[in-house]
Amino acid sequence: MIKIDWYDSDIRAKYHTVLLKYLPSDMVWHGDNKTSQYRIKTDLLLCGKRSDVLSCKYMELYKNLCIIISSKSKKYRKKELNKLLNDPSCSSFFTNNYSQYTNGVNNIKDDNIIDDLISAINKNMKAAMEAIYREIKIKSKKTVTSLYALLTPALRAELLASLGVECCPYCNRQYITAYYKTPKSKRATPTADIDHFYNKSKFPLFALSLFNFIPACQVCNSRLKGTKWLDALYPFEEEFGDDAVFSYDFDKMDSDGHTKALTHISPVPIPLRLDINSRSQNTKHIKNSNELFGLERIYQGHRLYAGELFWKKHMYNAEYIKSVQKLFSGNDNSKLTESNLYLLLYGYIFDQEHQYDVNRPLSKLTYDLIFRDKSI
């Protein structure tokens, strides 16, 4: 829902230094002993942006294969596999590794062979990950069950703190700040989870990639998303913005509540809806985010707050705002800036540059209902 800033160069350098001593300089992601193995530089995989990593040879293919393998629909898997088979950039990959399952590189030989092809691809991927585990230089007797085990609590806390994100970017509802366990504690303990945008079970190669680490609240990470996969909005690059807007849904109110809301007797709960721009290039990602995190449904819990904003919009008419500004019309030090005016009226800092305060819960909802909704 909310776009956040990427990890800065200092934390990327530290992350690289800490983990590189455990990992081989090149990491295998696919292949077997009979064919050539495709590799990607560890430093890029660990610390590169998503676009950089996926632009490497076969990385986009790896991602797509992981998605196909995890699907339970044979119809979907056949459709997507045939797309890859007919992609010139992927044809040599299938010719070299899976020619026995395909008619050249045109299509899958037989519908009944899809499961065999999926099984073969999955087996090779698992073999590749096992090869990586064998190369990890762990100075411990503990068995490594996951690459993610290399991410220590201290390093995890430092990564989260470095982003300066105080509110969950997926839902914009929950604070994810940090606290100190004791007055003498030297390290802050984050209340945020690290969500793997590409989850560890379906995309094991991305388990330690920084581009894959999204700070999130526990509700979004564990209760709503979990191990489910949908191609949703990627917070380091995308956001709802003008393409998905919260608005009042008066059609779902009974006549009594509707009358009270419109006559402004007092704040009353007002149902909400999420209006999605069907022409946006991000429409699919927005719809998937809405489905994955149940945003339109969950936001119904803020109907009373929405009603209070509707009431305030009526109370804070143009004349009232002029009177408030007049109170602070003295010297430059006492004049109200636009952002401070909205902070005074609604408790949020809004201006033309920052449409909503990304570090305050419900700032997206508040901005939409104040500035984008035309109910008043």
Side-chain angles (χ1 to χ4, degrees):
M1 181 189 286
I2 303 294
K3 188 176 179 180
I4 58 177
D5 291 330
W6 172 245
Y7 295 92
D8 64 32
S9 57
D10 289 341
I11 197 67
R12 293 200 306 272
K14 180 169 184 177
Y15 186 69
H16 180 275
T17 300
V18 170
L19 292 189
L20 198 59
K21 62 184 178 183
Y22 296 119
L23 301 173
S25 59
D26 292 327
M27 296 179 72
V28 180
W29 77 263
H30 180 274
D32 56 34
N33 294 330
K34 297 178 182 179
T35 61
S36 59
Q37 295 179 326
Y38 305 108
R39 297 170 180 265
I40 182 172
K41 288 288 186 180
T42 307
D43 53 357
L44 179 61
L45 182 66
L46 290 177
C47 302
K49 289 187 176 182
R50 182 173 71 156
S51 57
D52 297 326
V53 174
L54 294 183
S55 65
C56 293
K57 187 176 183 181
Y58 295 122
M59 279 296 104
E60 184 73 29
L61 174 60
Y62 166 81
K63 183 200 75 173
N64 291 332
L65 285 174
C66 288
I67 295 171
I68 293 170
I69 288 170
S70 64
S71 174
K72 296 180 180 179
S73 168
K74 183 174 288 190
K75 182 178 180 181
Y76 169 84
R77 291 189 297 182
K78 180 183 178 183
K79 175 184 174 183
E80 295 304 313
L81 281 170
N82 277 323
K83 281 184 183 178
L84 296 179
L85 288 168
N86 285 280
D87 184 339
S89 65
C90 305
S91 59
S92 62
F93 172 86
F94 284 96
T95 300
N96 292 336
N97 293 282
Y98 306 105
S99 58
Q100 68 270 37
Y101 301 102
T102 64
N103 291 324
V105 293
N106 295 318
N107 53 61
I108 296 170
K109 284 181 178 180
D110 188 322
D111 285 358
N112 296 324
I113 214 168
I114 294 175
D115 289 338
D116 293 336
L117 174 56
I118 292 293
S119 177
I121 294 172
N122 199 27
K123 182 179 178 180
N124 282 342
M125 284 188 175
K126 287 182 178 179
M129 293 308 299
E130 289 172 0
I132 294 174
Y133 295 148
R134 287 195 297 270
E135 292 189 57
I136 294 175
K137 304 177 180 67
I138 296 289
K139 298 177 181 178
S140 170
K141 294 181 180 180
K142 293 181 180 180
T143 302
V144 179
T145 57
S146 168
L147 286 173
Y148 194 56
L150 297 177
L151 188 59
T152 64
L155 184 55
R156 184 186 297 110
E158 190 169 356
L159 289 173
L160 290 169
S162 73
L163 290 172
V165 178
E166 298 180 5
C167 186
C168 178
Y170 286 139
C171 68
N172 192 225
R173 296 174 65 245
Q174 305 278 356
Y175 276 118
I176 51 173
T177 51
Y179 69 95
Y180 290 88
K181 291 183 178 180
T182 68
K184 295 183 180 180
S185 296
K186 294 183 179 180
R187 188 178 78 227
T189 300
T191 59
D193 287 352
I194 285 184
D195 171 59
H196 285 74
F197 186 79
Y198 299 102
N199 67 64
K200 300 190 294 295
S201 61
K202 292 183 176 66
F203 307 88
L205 187 59
F206 298 150
L208 284 173
S209 296
L210 270 182
F211 79 79
N212 202 25
F213 294 170
I214 309 292
C217 69
Q218 189 178 63
V219 173
C220 285
N221 182 39
S222 301
R223 298 184 187 179
L224 296 173
K225 185 170 182 279
T227 59
K228 290 182 290 187
W229 164 253
L230 282 176
D231 195 6
L233 284 174
Y234 179 60
F236 285 127
E237 297 175 354
E238 304 165 315
E239 62 182 340
F240 274 10
D242 294 334
D243 291 324
V245 175
F246 288 105
S247 61
Y248 295 108
D249 194 352
F250 290 109
D251 292 340
K252 292 184 179 178
M253 295 185 73
D254 58 39
S255 57
D256 183 56
H258 190 249
T259 300
K260 286 182 178 179
L262 294 178
T263 55
H264 311 289
I265 297 173
S266 63
V268 297
I270 304 178
L272 297 161
R273 69 171 184 265
L274 184 64
D275 298 322
I276 299 174
N277 178 6
S278 61
R279 296 182 178 180
S280 167
Q281 63 179 4
N282 288 331
T283 298
K284 179 183 176 181
H285 292 175
I286 291 172
K287 288 182 177 180
N288 285 345
S289 289
N290 184 37
E291 179 183 343
L292 192 60
F293 300 107
L295 295 172
E296 190 169 18
R297 298 190 302 275
I298 284 179
Y299 265 76
Q300 300 309 319
H302 303 295
R303 289 177 294 178
L304 181 56
Y305 174 69
E308 291 171 357
L309 287 179
F310 187 84
W311 184 70
K312 287 179 179 180
K313 281 179 68 176
H314 173 73
M315 300 297 292
Y316 301 158
N317 55 35
E319 292 301 317
Y320 178 82
I321 291 176
K322 284 181 181 179
S323 66
V324 171
Q325 290 175 320
K326 189 175 181 180
L327 288 174
F328 298 91
S329 60
N331 58 46
D332 291 339
N333 292 330
S334 63
K335 284 183 178 179
L336 274 181
T337 62
E338 180 186 40
S339 59
N340 283 336
L341 173 64
Y342 292 119
L343 180 62
L344 177 65
L345 297 179
Y346 297 107
Y348 290 86
I349 296 176
F350 300 121
D351 54 39
Q352 292 181 349
E353 181 180 358
H354 304 96
Q355 291 186 335
Y356 33 82
D357 188 342
V358 297
N359 283 325
R360 294 197 183 193
L362 303 182
S363 61
K364 162 69 173 169
L365 173 69
T366 305
Y367 184 87
D368 287 350
L369 295 183
I370 291 173
F371 297 102
R372 293 186 171 116
D373 186 85
K374 306 300 181 184
S375 299
I376 295 182

